[in-house]
Amino acid sequence: MTDSPLPRSARTGGTVFAVVLGVVLLVAILGAAWVGIRGALAYSHLRDAQQTAAAVRDSLADPAAASDAIAALAADTGAAHALTSDPVWKLAEGVPWVGPQLAAVATVAESLDGVAGTALRPLSEVAGTFQVDALRPQGGRLDLAPLQQISGAAQTATDGVGAAAASVSAIDRTALVTPVRTAVDEVDGLLTEAGTATDALARAAQLIPSMLGADGPRNYLVLFQNNAEWRSLGGIPGAMALIHTDGGALSLAAQESSSDYDRYDDAVLPLDDEITAIYGERPARFIQNVTQVPDFAVSAALAREMWAREHGGQQVDGVIALDPVALSYLLQATGPITLPTGDVLAPDTAVPLLLNEVYARYPRPADQDAFFAVAAASVFAKLSGGDVDPAALVTALTRAGDEDRLLLWSAHEAEQGLLADTTLAGGLPGSDDDAARFGVYVNDGTGSKMDFYQNASATLAWDGCTLDAAGRATGDAVLTVTIGNTAPADAANLPPYITGDSGFGVPAGITRTIGYLYLPEGFDLIDATMSDGSGFGGGTHDGRRVLSFAIDLPPGQTATATVVARAASPVASTLEAAMTPTLTPPAAVAAVCGGS
């Protein structure tokens, strides 16, 4: 018996099915090829754009130099966006496994194109006419018009880059293959850095004109912190100056020394109970102690009130703090400055001259004050006279700000709002999604200048940390702080003004350091030890547990404080620590859970 042939209708249906299947396969193959070719082209454009974006970020200190780079960036990002936004690509984004990779690439391309094509375009147009040389004062006056002109474009750039950064940051990376995930991470980091740069430019373009008297005369109290006598924010305000600004013109209106200020019988301003419990009323009674609280908003308000009490109620518009190390950076922009005494202030001589040699040369504090006044006036004359490299000046100010050596507080609410979340504000260390932050602050307890010979360092480490699915960490954070006295063995024979002359009950040559260790918000103390067996005091400050200690060190000796803390709930996988800026450039203090 033979098999019966299939009915014609069945044979016809099978043929149709085969044709349809063939067409579907052909479309799929063509679609895959289409997506693959466009993806390769888009990848090439995105790589070129990424390199150009780095150049744009690095050139924002000189907006004119960024103009051509922004145009090149826009060409590449526009091409990449077009290649990854057609209907076939969008349809392919729904395919399992492959789809998330394509969607991530498309988001990156769209975000970068938004930055280059919209956010940075106004900045590019304005930047073509902006020269960094416009930041050079002429005859004691800075032309404010260029900064006012660039302000709007810089803010547009900041908003656009911020939106793009948020879009890329929101990409779910759990389904991405390693090369795509790495590329997304790189772009995420690049946009974050670019956002920081454009934000700094926008804030500066708004702040500088008003601070320099665009809307009327201003007065600023400048505190020169002395790192040879530590305070939490750097050093005691050993000298002060009043800077007057009006329509871009700058003048040095007054100079004073901390010795001109007596002790106040009562706090000049009421202090928060938490602050008083940790620091007492000393910050509000002595000008030398206003920077003992590691929150410059508090320090500046106290210094402003003390100035007002000594000057018939005059209320300054803001307070600025900087130290001799920051001055050494500025000298890289001005070049060496020869003082009337014949001394030369240069990047490598300013710090030892101002923080050590002066005290050996001039035993009388009045003579020391006179020398500091001459040095400050000479530097101001060089800067305000325009004898400075503007690009180097921007670099110097940026470095000083990054190292917490340049602090600024404004009595004008809108301006302080622009400063509040920047490094210039000098606020308490704050934790966020990027890092949980400790604070390490050191203070001299002898009334000496012995901290010229001291060093302070810190390390952070995770102990037994684990990461959850969101990349948040749990475990113990270990902070180790080491203080060292590197003074010569015969330090007791140094000039009395340097040793403190056995004041405060501390023998000459020995250093006494008062330390304040701030835990991140939400961290509980697990353990704390001092290498000499002494204990801790402390309290709570704005939601942060604070540990205080005191240690006396003979020359050549060191002491170590070790603190173990644990977060009550998962936190950022990175630990960081803010530290008192001392004589040496700060080393990064950080630890990453699961990393090196």
Side-chain angles (χ1 to χ4, degrees):
M1 189 173 83
T2 60
D3 294 332
S4 301
L6 289 172
R8 178 180 298 274
S9 59
R11 293 199 303 271
T12 301
T15 301
V16 171
F17 176 77
V19 170
V20 170
L21 181 60
V23 170
V24 169
L25 290 175
L26 179 61
V27 169
I29 293 171
L30 291 175
W34 176 267
V35 170
I37 293 172
R38 293 172 74 86
L41 293 172
Y43 176 82
S44 177
H45 282 294
L46 286 175
R47 276 300 178 192
D48 290 343
Q50 188 171 349
Q51 295 175 0
T52 306
V56 173
R57 173 202 60 197
D58 294 340
S59 62
L60 283 174
D62 181 1
S67 183
D68 293 341
I70 291 173
L73 176 66
D76 278 317
T77 59
H81 186 204
L83 287 165
T84 59
S85 58
D86 72 303
V88 175
W89 186 284
K90 290 299 182 185
L91 183 64
E93 289 182 6
V95 177
W97 188 81
V98 173
Q101 324 302 321
L102 300 179
V105 172
T107 298
V108 167
E110 182 180 9
S111 299
L112 289 178
D113 190 39
V115 169
T118 303
L120 294 183
R121 189 174 297 280
L123 183 61
S124 175
E125 294 170 353
V126 175
T129 63
F130 185 93
Q131 299 295 327
V132 73
D133 202 57
L135 298 176
R136 185 198 305 272
Q138 300 292 333
R141 181 182 296 273
L142 182 70
D143 183 6
L144 303 179
L147 280 170
Q148 292 170 317
Q149 180 185 13
I150 208 171
S151 178
Q155 188 59 53
T156 297
T158 298
D159 295 340
V161 172
S167 180
V168 172
S169 180
I171 294 175
D172 182 1
R173 291 163 218 197
T174 56
L176 301 183
V177 296
T178 299
V180 176
R181 183 170 60 251
T182 299
V184 171
D185 288 343
E186 289 175 357
V187 173
D188 193 357
L190 181 63
L191 286 172
T192 298
E193 293 178 9
T196 299
T198 55
D199 182 61
L201 180 62
R203 292 178 194 242
Q206 293 182 64
L207 282 169
I208 293 176
S210 59
M211 288 185 61
L212 294 185
D215 305 316
R218 294 282 187 91
N219 289 302
Y220 291 90
L221 175 61
V222 181
L223 306 177
F224 298 101
Q225 295 199 81
N226 188 327
N227 311 93
E229 188 172 348
W230 285 342
R231 290 295 182 269
S232 295
L233 291 177
I236 67 163
M240 286 78 74
L242 187 71
I243 304 296
H244 180 75
T245 66
D246 189 3
L250 301 91
S251 59
L252 184 60
Q255 288 183 275
E256 293 182 349
S257 167
S258 60
S259 60
D260 297 324
Y261 289 71
D262 292 327
R263 178 188 70 182
Y264 298 96
D265 292 333
D266 299 302
V268 296
L269 292 174
L271 294 176
D272 186 277
D273 289 343
E274 289 186 336
I275 293 177
T276 303
I278 300 170
Y279 301 96
E281 288 193 337
R282 290 181 298 276
R285 296 177 60 198
F286 300 87
I287 187 69
Q288 297 92 338
N289 284 334
V290 295
T291 49
Q292 186 180 9
V293 180
D295 184 347
F296 190 61
V298 174
S299 305
L302 293 172
R304 181 179 189 244
E305 178 61 24
M306 291 179 185
W307 175 273
R309 292 194 179 202
E310 301 298 323
H311 296 86
Q314 181 188 28
Q315 295 290 337
V316 297
D317 293 281
V319 181
I320 302 168
L322 71 160
D323 65 13
V325 180
L327 174 63
S328 73
Y329 301 159
L330 295 177
L331 290 169
Q332 295 174 356
T334 65
I337 298 175
T338 302
L339 304 179
T341 60
D343 296 288
V344 177
L345 285 179
D348 59 341
T349 65
V351 172
L353 175 61
L354 296 174
L355 297 185
N356 187 253
E357 295 170 20
V358 166
Y359 303 120
R361 184 188 304 177
Y362 302 112
R364 291 196 323 133
D367 294 333
Q368 300 165 8
D369 294 342
F371 184 90
F372 293 139
V374 168
S378 299
V379 173
F380 180 82
K382 193 81 175 282
L383 289 169
S384 62
D387 191 4
V388 61
D389 179 344
L393 178 61
V394 171
T395 299
L397 292 173
T398 300
R399 181 180 181 185
D402 289 344
E403 295 181 7
D404 298 322
R405 301 186 187 279
L406 176 63
L407 304 174
L408 175 59
W409 173 84
S410 176
H412 299 265
E413 186 176 351
E415 294 173 12
Q416 183 60 19
L418 290 172
L419 292 165
D421 56 353
T422 69
T423 57
L424 295 177
L428 296 177
S431 299
D432 51 32
D433 290 340
D434 295 324
R437 296 181 176 89
F438 289 76
V440 178
Y441 304 106
V442 288
N443 293 259
D444 170 76
T446 66
S448 74
K449 300 298 180 286
M450 286 293 292
D451 289 326
F452 180 82
Y453 302 100
Q454 288 232 109
N455 55 60
S457 61
T459 62
L460 276 168
W462 280 106
D463 182 14
C465 71
T466 58
L467 295 174
D468 61 19
R472 309 285 285 175
T474 55
D476 289 347
V478 182
L479 170 68
T480 303
V481 178
T482 302
I483 311 295
N485 181 359
T486 65
D490 61 349
N493 297 322
L494 290 169
Y497 200 84
I498 292 179
T499 65
D501 199 23
S502 299
F504 298 89
V506 181
I510 291 179
T511 61
R512 173 171 293 169
T513 300
I514 311 299
Y516 301 98
L517 309 180
Y518 279 63
L519 307 189
E521 305 99 307
F523 273 65
D524 297 320
L525 179 65
I526 302 302
D527 190 25
T529 57
M530 289 292 300
S531 58
D532 68 346
S534 59
F536 293 85
T540 302
H541 188 184
D542 199 16
R544 300 160 177 83
R545 176 72 181 269
V546 182
L547 302 178
S548 62
F549 65 85
I551 189 72
D552 289 2
L553 292 175
Q557 297 296 307
T558 64
T560 300
T562 303
V563 174
V564 181
R566 182 181 302 158
S569 58
V571 296
S573 60
T574 299
L575 302 173
E576 293 180 353
M579 292 190 65
T580 295
T582 59
L583 296 184
T584 56
V589 183
V592 180
C593 181
S596 57

